[in-house]
Amino acid sequence: YPGAWFFQLQRALEAVTGQGLGQLVRERVFTPLGLGASSLVWQEGYGDRIARPHRRGGEPGDPRTIELGGRLLGHASSTGRPLESWRHADVVAAFGALPGTPPAMPVFFSPNAAGSLITTAPEYARFAMVAGGAAQGPLAEPFRRQLFGVTTPIQGPLAWGLGGGLELEGDAPRGAWHWGDNPGYKNFVLVDLREAAGLVVLTNGDNGRAVYE
């Protein structure tokens, strides 16, 4: 599942709704689920709470992504438009206006559906359990069946659903899983779709996979 596909879906959603993805996800997901600490863009107060990235040897990782988030938030404040309301064109314009920014590529953009989520383990666990049906939430059952339906068989009991991996038992999904793999951050989520149980592991180091493998 290339992250670029999710970024293109983001642009389609922004074009159809007229909203920035950060605002759209806030209204449709974060607020209904009570995920007040989660965001697709940098927020005031994140600087004191964010888990800083680390390399394999334990030394501090590249801080540019964190620093860029704060700079984009400051630029948004100067324009009078909340950062969450920004669409693709707004982000590109900001990269052109701010000196010393990285290349205007999606991997550095915020919001980015494929990789700019900032959250906590408890909040992501709540999202995962609602998505998996283990907790009550505003997710219609037909959409849940779509989300965890097989789109691409892989091998044996493994398959892809809509953006996540599936472990099958017969023809039905037994578990859903995914991982995050960015410099300085390695993460994993697993939901048992039949036992109402799950696991979320968020790490801030390039050796983080050792925690959940």
Side-chain angles (χ1 to χ4, degrees):
Y1 88 105
W5 294 358
F6 284 89
F7 188 73
Q8 294 305 317
L9 286 172
Q10 168 183 337
R11 295 192 64 183
L13 281 171
E14 291 179 346
V16 169
T17 65
Q19 294 180 280
L21 185 71
Q23 182 181 18
L24 188 64
V25 173
R26 171 73 57 197
E27 294 176 358
R28 302 288 184 93
V29 181
F30 297 152
T31 297
L33 293 183
L35 310 184
S38 300
S39 179
L40 290 178
V41 300
W42 195 262
Q43 302 285 353
E44 292 286 354
Y46 275 178
D48 296 330
R49 302 179 58 198
I50 200 77
R52 304 279 168 168
H54 293 80
R55 298 187 174 94
R56 289 189 178 277
E59 62 273 16
D62 189 343
R64 286 183 300 172
T65 301
I66 294 174
E67 294 170 353
L68 180 59
R71 293 181 67 197
L72 289 174
L73 184 64
H75 186 71
S77 178
S78 71
T79 65
R81 292 190 58 212
L83 186 55
E84 280 194 337
S85 72
W86 281 17
R87 297 167 62 183
H88 176 257
D90 301 311
V91 180
V92 172
F95 269 62
L98 292 172
T101 56
M105 299 170 59
V107 67
F108 299 113
F109 287 173
S110 178
N112 183 338
S116 71
L117 175 64
I118 302 172
T119 189
T120 67
E123 290 202 356
Y124 197 85
R126 170 154 178 76
F127 165 77
M129 298 309 285
V130 169
Q136 294 296 316
L139 182 63
E141 188 59 33
F143 180 75
R144 181 179 289 110
R145 290 196 295 269
Q146 267 192 312
L147 188 64
F148 298 114
V150 174
T151 61
T152 307
I154 303 176
Q155 186 177 10
L158 299 181
W160 285 113
L162 287 180
L166 300 173
E167 182 176 356
L168 307 178
E169 192 171 84
D171 294 329
R174 170 61 189 264
W177 47 271
H178 215 319
W179 71 94
D181 187 353
N182 288 316
Y185 298 97
K186 311 299 175 187
N187 310 308
F188 182 74
V189 58
L190 173 68
V191 178
D192 189 319
L193 298 172
R194 298 191 180 179
E195 299 296 331
L199 172 72
V200 173
V201 181
L202 307 180
T203 78
N204 62 324
D206 283 333
N207 292 323
R209 289 174 57 184
V211 175
Y212 55 81
E213 284 188 333

